[in-house]
């Protein structure tokens, strides 16, 4: 050992330390260091470098090949790149200088990568990996394609690679990839070389493997006239229709199995699994795509048949392992991302969607992540390809998938695809769903009903998604088709004359029609959000609706059966709807009436009884406008807008977003023509008491006949959301404890107390006492506390069976009557429910007030209504309503900033009266927020008066009014200090401008007096007026002299 160590030290003197450093850096984990070491190595052996010996060249190659057998750090990556570049560049040098041939190189590779005997398994694997990387470096360097005797040189290399792949199945895919790259790098002069590769694969039984299929298809594409091995594929083509089953086994890399018959070929796969998809799938899919596009191979199987045999019946079978299904998901991802539309559509088969849905359900499923990746791939492809979006949605929601796919998988896959789809795709999807709604044949009618409701939901979602886009102002025909589809099935039933194909199977249930009414309202509400073209769209839909009612050939009958009177009202309404003008200069009041007419007709045919009264009112108003032909903006026909406001309040009181939207639009149209009487209607709602009495007064019903009025509490607006709920009294109930075995006296006292409480409740509740009396009469007995000494006249033992049955019948009748009485008590409205209804209705009325304050800033009615609005904020018990009123007033005050934005003041006396009303409202017992709101409103009125009237008398009245309010605040404490904050800020700012204004007014008056004096002088030629002027001047001088004397005395 010592001698050997000493010998190493002596040989170390001749070691090139620079080369040692290069070899060390080739194994570095940093790719930049490895590439730098490769460049340093090549710089020593290029043509311009100093002369190198043959021994040095051979030693370097040997060292690089040995480095491939090392598993240290990144040695294989660095040495393989260095070897490929080294051979590619140095083999250009003359043979005499390098002193090594291609055959010598193959021998070195085989010698240096051959595992020695009696080595560990890890060392053996390292050497085999080194051989694989060495062969890959030879292929990348392309030195084997240069010599003339290519077949003699490549034969040993092919045997080396195919033998390694055959003996070590876990290296088969990597070896096949080397051969695939080798064939791909050849050109037209290398036909014999390619044929040699096929022969080597056939020799080692690797033709019917995924690697063999990929190489076969590649050779078939690049060298169609090459000689292929015989009797390997039955029809000499892996993609032949007759090879479909065998190809499916090969692509699954199935292990060899017994042939079905003599001479029947079989799969020669390895039976192993890897987490990556085999590279042969790229070549197979590429071949299918080219074949499908050109249709050159008529005898080849279609991609649909290949997918069904390989994936649906193979990798996705219920008995297939999860690892194999992973391959199916990887193949689906590749097809969806890279293949054409036909192939991508084929992927979404019934079995694939079912497997996808099963693995999306829970995050604990093994392939949940793969399933999510596929869903993302579907969304990305659909966003780029509108045709694929249609295919994806129809497949996921159609018979191959499930109509509630998103709900079942807890994802938003279909929603996101629809959200990014184009108009063409949305139209195709809508048509598919409509056809599915009619043709969906279900064994169970309940399943058909749920399916149809899901279809209605998807149609509504498609419609709302399109309407929510910025470009939705353009009218799309398919949007109206969706509305007409809903109208056709919600309001009509098919007659016997209708063809069988157009009749829903099974027939629609009443609940489905009700659901259609609800979703139609949602669509129309979304429709009316775009006021620019909403009215024209709605009119077109209603025209089509009316045409269906009048067309006997449509094969549809209205669901609602009308009597003569109601039918006459409906006919008049349709006639009015058709007669109204639709021009650009349409009267806003007429537009409002027409909009009311459309919605009222929809509600009427939907079975809403209140719609009849609305139709009658609207028809009456339309009859008034017909007698006034003016159409100009200055000469437009008028109507009773006050009654229209009442109709709007009626619509807003219903739990429907559509009716609320229509009410707001109508009120906005008629706002310029509303009178004080019309504005009083929503103001009256704001001032209503939040109790049963207030509900009865508001809805004109008696206290004994009140019904529970349900008003929508929708929370789509932040200001109108939520209802303040009063705390309910908790009923104290005593709980009876079970007696202890010791018989504690405390338990007896508790029981006695409970009995006494029960007696008190019974005596105080007449209904409960009546029930006890009926129960005692039925049982022919009495309560135990009524007569403790009394004994029952009869007992159960003395009763016969017939008597017992009679008593059971009497007891059943007594309890049934008690249940009915309990239901009637529960149906009566309570103060809590009445309060909630009134609060919600106040929010609806506030919507109208807010619109009026926004759109009619210059209307004098606003100033007149300020005190009423403030009073409503003070009197309400709902903090939310009060805060929203203050918010409306603050917004109005902000819009009135600046002199140019102030409302007009036509009558100063009326405006002063409004100001006094606000001051009186501020003197009421209220909160700081209310006082602040009153102070801001009062200052706004003061600003309006001061801007329009500069008379000192009016300003003095304002100051006097504030002086009285200040006195009430100081002496009586009737007001909050917040009321005067806005006033103090305003008069400090306006002191200078008001003084200047008054000075200008005085100057004007003086100028007027001077003009009068001049005129008098002209009329007095003797100068009598001059003496008066002289006396006035002397008086002024005397006054100034006396003031100076007083100042001197003070000093």
């Amino acid at each position: 050992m010592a001698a050997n160590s000493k010998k190493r030290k002596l040989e170390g003197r001749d070691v090139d330390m620079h080369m040692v450093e290069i070899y060390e850096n080739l194994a570095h984990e940093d790719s930049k260091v490895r590439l730098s070491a490769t460049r340093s190595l090549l710089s020593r052996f290029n043509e311009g470098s100093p002369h190198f010996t043959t021994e040095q060249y051979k030693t370097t190659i040997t060292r690089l090949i040995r480095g491939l057998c090392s598993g240290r750090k990144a040695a294989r990556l660095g040495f393989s790149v260095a070897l490929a570049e080294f051979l590619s560049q140095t083999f250009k040098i003359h043979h005499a200088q390098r002193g090594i041939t291609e055959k010598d190189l193959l021998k070195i590779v085989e010698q240096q990568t051959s595992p020695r005997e009696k080595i560990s398994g890890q060392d053996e694997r390292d050497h085999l990996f080194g051989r694989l990387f060495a062969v890959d470096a030879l292929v990348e360097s392309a030195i084997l394609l240069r010599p003339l005797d290519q077949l003699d040189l490549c034969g040993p290399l092919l045997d080396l690679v195919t033998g390694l792949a055959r003996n070590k199945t876990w290296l088969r895919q990597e070896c096949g990839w080397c051969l695939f790259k080798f064939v791909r790098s050849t050109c037209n002069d290398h036909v014999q070389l390619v044929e040699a590769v096929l022969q080597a694969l056939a020799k080692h039984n690797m033709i019917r493997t995924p690697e063999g299929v990929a190489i076969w298809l590649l050779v078939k594409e690049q060298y169609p006239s090459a000689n292929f091995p015989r009797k390997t594929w039955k029809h000499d083509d892996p993609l032949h229709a007759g090879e479909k089953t065998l190809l499916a086994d090969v692509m699954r890399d199935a292990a060899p199995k017994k042939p079905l018959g003599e001479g029947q070929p079989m799969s020669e796969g390895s039976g192993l699994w890897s987490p990556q998809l085999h590279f042969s799938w790229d070549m197979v899919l590429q071949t299918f795509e080219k074949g499908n596009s050109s249709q050159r191979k008529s005898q080849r199987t279609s991609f649909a048949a290949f997918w069904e045999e390989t994936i649906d019946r193979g990798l996705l079978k219920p008995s297939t392992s999860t690892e194999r299904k992973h391959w199916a998901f990887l193949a689906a991802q590749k097809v969806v991302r890279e293949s054409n539309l036909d192939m991508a559509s084929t992927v979404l088969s019934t079995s694939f969607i079912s497997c996808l849905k099963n693995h999306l359900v829970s995050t604990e499923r093994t392939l949940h992540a793969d399933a999510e990746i596929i869903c993302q791939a579907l969304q990305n492809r659909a966003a780029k390809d509108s045709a694929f979006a249609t295919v994806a949605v129809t497949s996921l929601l159609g018979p191959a998938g499930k109509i509630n796919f998103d709900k079942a998988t807890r994802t938003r896959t279909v929603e996101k695809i629809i959200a990014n789809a184009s108009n063409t795709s949305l139209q195709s999807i809508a048509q598919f769903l409509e056809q599915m709604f009619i043709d969906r044949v279900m064994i169970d009618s309940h399943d058909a009903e749920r399916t149809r409701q899901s279809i209605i939901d998807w149609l509504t979602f498609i419609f709302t998604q399109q309407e929510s886009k910025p470009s939705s102002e353009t009218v799309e025909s398919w949007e109206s088709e969706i509305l007409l589809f809903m109208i056709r099935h919600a309001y009509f039933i098919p007659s016997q004359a209708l063809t069988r194909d157009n009749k829903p199977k099974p027939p629609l249930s009443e609940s489905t029609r009700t659901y259609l009414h609800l979703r139609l309202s949602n669509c129309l509400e979304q429709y009316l959000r775009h006021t620019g073209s909403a009215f024209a769209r709605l009119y077109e839909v209603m025209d089509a609706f009316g045409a269906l009612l009048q067309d006997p050939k449509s094969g549809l009958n209205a669901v609602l059966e009308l009597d003569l009177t109601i039918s006459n009202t409906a006919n008049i309404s349709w006639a009015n709807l058709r007669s109204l003008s639709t021009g650009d200069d349409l009267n806003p009041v007429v537009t409002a009436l027409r909009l009311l007419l459309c919605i009222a007709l929809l509600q009427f045919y939907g079975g809403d009884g209140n719609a009849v009264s609305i139709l009658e009112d609207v028809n009456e108003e339309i009859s008034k406008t017909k007698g006034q032909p003016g159409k100009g903006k200055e000469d437009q026909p008028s109507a009773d807008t006050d009654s229209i406001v009442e109709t709007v309040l009626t619509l807003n009181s219903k739990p429907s977003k559509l009716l609320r939207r229509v009410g707001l639009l109508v009120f906005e149209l008629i706002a310029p023509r509303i009178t004080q009487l019309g504005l009083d209607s929503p103001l009256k709602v704001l001032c209503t008491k939040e109790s049963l009495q207030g509900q009865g007064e508001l809805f004109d019903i008696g206290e004994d006949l009140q019904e529970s009025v349900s008003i929508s509490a929708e929370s789509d607006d932040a200001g109108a959301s939520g209802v303040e709920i009063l705390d309910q009294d908790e009923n104290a109930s005593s709980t009876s404890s079970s007696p202890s075995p010791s018989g504690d006296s405390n338990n007896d006292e508790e029981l006695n107390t409970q009995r006494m409480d029960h007696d008190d409740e019974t005596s105080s509740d007449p209904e409960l006492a009546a029930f006890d009396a009926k129960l005692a009469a039925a049982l022919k007995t009495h309560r135990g506390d009524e007569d403790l000494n009394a004994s029952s006249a009869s007992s159960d033992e003395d009763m016969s069976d017939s008597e017992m049955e009679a008593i059971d019948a009497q007891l059943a009748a007594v309890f049934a009557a008690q249940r009915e009485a309990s239901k009637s008590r529960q149906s009566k409205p309570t103060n809590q429910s009445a309060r909630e209804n009134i609060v919600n209705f106040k929010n609806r009325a506030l919507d109208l007030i807010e619109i009026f304050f926004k759109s009619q800033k210059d209307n004098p009615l606003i100033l007149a209504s300020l005190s009423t609005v403030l009073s409503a904020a003070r009197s309400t018990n709902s903090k939310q309503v009060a805060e929203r009123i203050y918010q409306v007033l603050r917004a109005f005050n902000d819009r009135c900033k600046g002199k140019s934005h102030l409302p007009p003041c036509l009558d100063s006396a009326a405006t002063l009266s409004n100001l006094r009303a606000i001051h009186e409202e501020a003197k009421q017992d209220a909160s700081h927020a209310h006082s602040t709101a009153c102070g801001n409103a009062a200052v706004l009125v003061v600003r309006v008066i001061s801007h329009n009237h500069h008379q000192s008398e009016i300003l003095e009245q304002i100051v006097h009014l504030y002086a009285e309010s200040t006195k009430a605040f100081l002496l009586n404490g009737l007001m909050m200090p917040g009321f005067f904050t806005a006033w103090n800020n305003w008069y400090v700012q306006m002191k200078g401008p008001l003084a200047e204004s008054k000075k200008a007014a005085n100057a004007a008056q003086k100028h007027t007096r001077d003009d009068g004096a001049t005129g008098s002088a002209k009329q007095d030629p003797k100068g009598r007026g001059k003496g008066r002027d002289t006396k006035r001047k002397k008086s002024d001088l005397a006054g100034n002299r006396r003031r100076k004397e007083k100042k001197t005395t003070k000093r």
Side-chain angles (χ1 to χ4, degrees):
M1 293 293 295
N4 292 338
S5 299
K6 185 176 181 181
K7 185 175 181 180
R8 289 193 191 97
K9 290 180 181 179
L10 291 174
E11 292 177 352
R13 297 174 184 174
D14 300 331
V15 173
D16 190 347
M17 297 306 296
H18 182 62
M19 291 297 296
V20 171
E21 184 180 359
I22 290 176
Y23 295 142
E24 180 66 24
N25 291 336
L26 285 176
H28 202 276
E29 295 176 348
D30 191 353
S31 60
K32 296 181 180 179
V33 177
R34 296 197 301 269
L35 293 177
S36 177
T38 302
R39 286 192 291 267
S40 299
L41 177 64
L42 296 176
S43 64
R44 297 176 62 102
F45 290 92
N46 56 22
E47 296 182 0
S49 63
H51 182 72
F52 57 88
T53 62
T54 302
E55 186 64 26
Q56 290 176 340
Y57 189 83
K58 184 176 181 180
T59 301
T60 302
I61 289 181
T62 304
R63 182 65 183 87
L64 291 175
I65 295 175
R66 286 174 56 191
L68 296 174
C69 300
S70 173
R72 180 175 63 91
K73 296 182 180 180
R76 290 195 181 94
L77 296 177
F79 279 88
S80 62
V81 173
L83 179 61
E85 292 297 327
F86 184 80
L87 295 177
S88 176
Q89 296 187 24
T90 58
F91 257 70
K92 299 176 183 178
I93 304 174
H94 194 266
H95 168 68
Q97 185 176 358
R98 53 187 167 86
I100 187 173
T101 63
E102 287 80 356
K103 292 183 178 180
D104 297 335
L105 181 60
L106 290 176
K107 289 180 181 180
I108 295 174
V109 170
E110 187 173 3
Q111 290 175 0
Q112 296 297 326
T113 59
S114 296
R116 298 188 302 274
E117 296 180 359
K118 298 181 180 181
I119 62 174
S120 63
Q122 183 61 43
D123 290 339
E124 182 181 4
R125 285 191 292 273
D126 289 340
H127 280 78
L128 294 179
F129 274 121
R131 176 173 294 185
L132 178 62
F133 275 86
V135 173
D136 185 70
L138 293 177
V139 172
E140 291 291 341
S141 64
I143 62 173
L144 302 179
L145 302 177
R146 295 172 184 170
L148 298 177
D149 51 347
Q150 297 170 351
L151 293 178
D152 295 339
L153 179 62
C154 292
L157 176 66
L158 296 176
D159 291 338
L160 188 67
V161 177
T162 52
L164 178 62
R166 186 64 182 175
N167 296 331
K168 303 296 180 181
T169 55
W170 48 276
L171 285 175
R172 178 175 296 182
Q173 183 173 346
E174 288 75 13
C175 294
W177 176 244
C178 289
L179 294 177
F180 185 82
K181 291 193 298 182
F182 179 67
V183 173
R184 192 171 58 182
S185 63
T186 58
C187 57
N188 296 331
D189 298 334
H190 303 137
V191 179
Q192 295 180 352
L193 187 61
V194 171
E195 293 175 351
V197 173
L198 294 174
Q199 293 299 331
L201 292 174
K203 177 181 177 182
H204 292 85
N205 296 328
M206 288 185 61
I207 287 292
R208 290 186 291 274
T209 62
E211 299 80 16
V213 170
I215 295 174
W216 186 292
L217 295 177
L218 180 62
V219 174
K220 198 80 172 176
E221 179 182 347
Q222 292 185 355
Y223 307 98
S225 60
N227 295 324
F228 291 85
R230 299 293 180 183
K231 298 182 180 181
T232 52
W233 293 98
K234 190 174 180 180
H235 298 87
D236 295 333
D237 187 4
L239 301 184
H240 193 276
E243 306 287 358
K244 181 176 61 175
T245 304
L246 179 58
L247 178 63
D249 290 338
V250 171
M251 296 308 295
R252 293 196 301 266
D253 202 9
K257 57 184 179 180
K258 275 188 177 184
L260 299 177
E262 185 177 355
Q264 183 77 17
M266 65 178 183
S267 170
E268 298 168 344
S270 61
L272 300 177
W273 179 83
S274 64
Q276 289 83 24
L277 190 65
H278 201 282
F279 72 88
S280 59
W281 280 89
D282 293 331
M283 194 63 207
V284 171
L285 296 178
Q286 180 181 348
T287 306
F288 270 120
E289 188 165 4
K290 292 181 178 180
N292 291 340
S293 60
S294 61
Q295 298 295 331
R296 294 176 301 171
K297 310 295 182 182
S298 58
Q299 308 233 341
R300 281 185 171 177
T301 185
S302 63
F303 178 75
F306 164 77
W307 186 266
E308 180 183 5
E309 187 68 28
T310 307
I311 303 297
D312 294 342
R313 297 180 182 176
L315 295 177
L316 294 181
K317 286 193 305 184
S319 59
T320 306
S321 64
T322 306
E323 290 78 10
R324 300 284 175 176
K325 291 179 180 178
H326 171 71
W327 282 354
F329 281 7
L330 293 179
Q333 295 174 27
K334 183 175 289 294
V335 175
V336 170
R337 290 171 178 168
E338 303 174 4
S339 300
N340 55 32
L341 178 61
D342 293 336
M343 296 174 63
S345 305
T346 305
V347 169
L348 300 174
S349 59
T350 304
S351 57
F352 178 78
I353 294 177
S354 177
C355 185
L356 178 67
K357 180 170 62 65
N358 291 336
H359 286 278
L360 282 172
V361 170
S362 174
T363 56
E364 297 179 358
R365 301 292 174 89
T366 308
L367 301 179
H368 180 77
D370 289 347
E372 287 185 332
I373 293 174
I374 291 178
C375 290
Q376 188 62 45
L378 292 174
Q379 297 170 24
N380 296 338
R381 176 70 182 267
K384 300 176 182 177
D385 188 354
S386 59
F388 181 77
T390 304
V391 172
V393 173
T394 54
S395 300
L396 294 175
L397 300 182
K402 197 171 184 179
I403 190 63
N404 57 344
F405 180 86
D406 283 0
K407 184 177 180 181
T409 58
R410 300 175 185 176
T411 62
R412 297 180 57 195
T413 304
V414 180
E415 284 188 11
K416 292 180 179 179
I417 293 176
I418 292 176
N420 297 322
S422 62
N423 288 332
T424 305
S425 299
L426 292 177
Q427 181 178 5
S428 302
I429 294 170
Q431 293 174 353
F432 167 79
L433 292 173
E434 292 173 1
Q435 189 65 30
M436 185 178 175
F437 184 89
I438 299 174
D439 296 342
R440 190 75 171 185
V441 180
M442 295 287 180
I443 299 176
D444 187 2
S445 60
H446 184 62
D447 291 336
E449 182 175 340
R450 288 188 300 178
T451 301
R452 282 171 174 157
Q453 289 183 3
S454 299
I455 293 174
I456 295 169
D457 288 339
W458 282 120
L459 287 173
T460 306
F461 180 77
I462 293 172
F463 186 90
T464 54
Q465 282 296 314
Q466 172 63 17
E467 286 298 312
S468 62
K469 293 180 179 179
S471 59
S472 60
E473 289 294 335
T474 305
V475 179
E476 299 291 342
S477 60
W478 60 268
E479 297 180 64
S480 301
E481 287 296 329
I482 291 179
L483 295 179
L484 288 177
F485 174 82
M486 291 185 176
I487 289 175
R488 191 179 303 115
H489 293 283
Y491 297 99
F492 297 93
I493 55 177
S495 63
Q496 298 296 332
L498 192 64
T499 59
R500 187 175 180 183
D501 295 337
N502 294 327
K503 290 182 179 180
K505 302 180 290 291
L508 269 64
S509 63
E510 190 62 30
S511 60
T512 302
R513 296 187 193 279
T514 304
Y515 199 73
L516 272 168
H517 290 159
L518 175 62
R519 290 306 185 187
L520 178 61
S521 298
N522 294 342
C523 292
L524 290 175
E525 192 271 337
Q526 186 74 21
Y527 221 15
L528 294 176
R529 288 178 182 269
H530 305 284
T531 55
S533 57
F535 298 153
R537 298 180 183 186
L538 182 60
Y539 299 156
E540 292 177 2
V541 173
M542 292 304 297
D543 290 342
F545 186 13
L548 289 176
L549 287 171
Q550 297 179 355
D551 186 8
K553 298 181 181 180
S554 63
L556 299 174
N557 296 327
V559 176
L560 183 65
E561 297 181 358
L562 308 178
D563 57 17
L564 183 60
T565 304
I566 298 179
S567 178
N568 186 31
T569 302
N571 293 334
I572 294 174
S573 301
W574 283 112
N576 288 332
L577 187 61
R578 287 188 294 270
S579 63
L580 292 178
S581 174
T582 58
D584 293 336
D585 56 344
L586 186 63
N587 186 349
V589 178
V590 176
T591 304
L593 292 174
R594 193 178 187 194
L595 183 58
L596 284 174
L597 204 58
C598 292
I599 299 303
L601 283 171
L602 288 175
Q603 297 297 113
F604 169 74
Y605 284 97
D608 188 357
N610 295 329
V612 178
S613 61
I614 297 177
L615 287 176
E616 293 175 350
D617 294 341
V618 175
N619 290 333
E620 182 179 356
E621 296 302 326
I622 292 176
S623 64
K624 295 178 181 179
T625 61
K626 285 183 177 179
Q628 303 175 20
K631 289 186 179 180
K633 291 185 178 180
E634 300 296 332
D635 185 23
Q636 292 180 345
S638 62
D640 187 5
T641 56
D642 300 335
S643 61
I644 299 178
V645 174
E646 293 290 342
T647 304
V648 169
L649 285 174
T650 303
L651 295 178
N652 281 7
S653 66
K654 297 183 179 298
S656 172
K657 295 177 71 174
L658 172 63
L659 297 182
R660 181 185 172 193
R661 173 71 60 183
V662 172
L664 297 180
L665 289 175
V666 170
F667 189 83
E668 189 173 359
L669 288 170
I670 65 174
R673 290 173 169 76
I674 292 179
T675 63
Q676 183 64 54
L677 182 61
L679 189 60
D680 286 342
S681 296
L683 292 177
K684 178 184 176 183
V685 175
L686 290 181
C687 297
T688 304
K689 294 181 180 180
E690 296 158 3
S691 61
L692 280 173
Q693 180 183 359
Q695 179 173 285
E697 295 174 356
L698 187 61
F699 295 102
D700 296 330
I701 51 180
E703 188 171 337
D704 297 334
L705 302 176
Q706 288 182 10
E707 297 178 357
S708 179
V709 182
S710 175
I711 302 175
S712 131
E714 299 156 354
S715 58
D716 49 337
D717 284 345
S721 63
V723 177
E724 188 180 0
I725 306 298
L726 291 176
D727 297 332
Q728 298 180 354
D729 297 334
E730 297 180 358
N731 297 324
S733 59
S734 58
T735 58
S736 59
S737 58
S738 58
S740 62
S742 61
D744 191 358
S745 61
N746 292 332
N747 293 331
D748 296 336
E749 294 178 1
E750 291 176 5
L751 290 174
N752 293 331
T753 303
Q754 292 174 17
R755 293 191 187 100
M756 293 173 63
D757 294 340
H758 177 71
D759 295 342
D760 295 339
E761 293 174 3
T762 304
S763 61
S764 62
D765 191 349
E767 295 183 1
L768 186 57
F771 173 71
D772 287 342
K774 292 180 181 179
L775 188 60
L779 295 175
K780 296 181 181 180
T781 182
H782 55 270
R783 284 173 49 183
D785 58 344
E786 293 179 355
D787 188 1
L788 297 177
N789 298 323
S791 60
S792 179
S794 62
S795 63
D796 294 343
E797 296 178 356
D798 299 333
M799 290 184 182
S800 62
D801 293 340
S802 59
E803 291 176 344
M804 293 289 289
E805 292 177 358
I807 289 178
D808 290 340
Q810 293 177 3
L811 289 175
V814 170
F815 284 109
Q818 180 66 14
R819 283 195 297 270
E820 292 296 331
S822 177
K823 289 181 180 179
S824 63
R825 286 196 304 270
Q826 293 177 0
S827 62
K828 291 182 180 180
T830 61
N831 278 324
Q832 180 68 17
S833 62
R835 181 182 182 279
E836 293 177 5
N837 292 334
I838 297 299
V839 168
N840 291 327
F841 200 20
K842 284 186 177 182
N843 278 303
R844 303 289 80 81
L846 266 175
D847 293 338
L848 305 183
I849 298 296
E850 185 176 8
I851 290 177
F852 191 81
F853 274 47
K854 283 183 178 179
S855 61
Q856 301 300 312
K857 182 174 64 65
D858 297 335
N859 198 320
L861 293 179
I862 294 181
L863 298 179
S865 62
L866 287 177
S867 59
T868 306
V869 174
L870 289 169
S871 177
R874 174 182 54 82
S875 61
T876 182
N877 293 325
S878 174
K879 183 179 179 181
Q880 179 264 332
V881 172
E883 181 58 35
R884 192 175 175 209
I885 291 176
Y886 297 147
Q887 183 180 357
V888 171
L889 292 176
R890 284 195 299 268
F892 177 72
N893 203 359
D894 293 340
R895 284 191 294 272
C896 293
K897 288 183 177 179
K899 295 181 179 180
S900 59
H901 300 287
L902 288 174
C905 180
L906 304 179
D907 187 356
S908 59
T911 308
L912 280 173
S913 177
N914 296 332
L915 181 61
R916 292 189 184 95
I918 295 175
H919 277 253
E920 292 299 324
E921 176 61 30
K923 293 177 182 179
Q924 305 298 323
D925 187 12
S927 62
H928 291 282
H930 182 71
S931 298
T932 303
C934 291
N936 293 332
V939 169
L940 176 61
V941 177
V942 171
R943 289 172 56 205
V944 172
I945 296 175
S946 64
H947 176 66
N948 293 274
H949 302 280
H950 302 286
Q951 294 88 347
S952 59
E953 294 82 1
I954 297 179
L955 296 179
E956 288 176 359
Q957 293 181 29
I958 293 174
V959 173
H960 181 68
L961 180 60
Y962 269 95
E964 291 180 352
S965 299
T966 305
K967 181 179 178 181
F969 167 69
L970 294 174
L971 300 180
N972 302 327
L974 297 179
M975 308 178 74
M976 295 288 181
F979 176 80
F980 301 97
T981 303
W983 165 255
N984 295 333
N985 295 333
W986 179 81
Y987 81 74
V988 170
Q989 295 176 1
M990 297 301 296
K991 180 180 178 182
L994 289 176
E996 292 178 1
S997 177
K998 186 174 182 179
K999 184 177 180 180
N1002 293 335
Q1005 293 178 0
K1006 184 178 180 181
H1007 181 69
T1008 304
R1009 290 196 301 268
D1010 293 342
D1011 291 342
T1014 304
S1016 300
K1018 290 180 179 180
Q1019 295 177 2
D1020 188 12
K1022 295 183 179 181
R1024 290 185 295 233
K1026 183 176 180 181
R1028 289 194 296 268
D1029 292 340
T1030 303
K1031 291 180 179 179
R1032 188 183 298 111
K1033 290 181 180 180
K1034 291 181 178 179
S1035 175
D1036 292 340
L1037 291 174
N1040 292 335
R1041 190 181 303 110
R1042 284 194 297 270
R1043 282 193 293 270
K1044 289 181 180 180
E1045 290 176 354
K1046 288 182 180 180
K1047 289 182 180 179
T1048 305
T1049 303
K1050 287 181 180 179
R1051 292 195 192 98

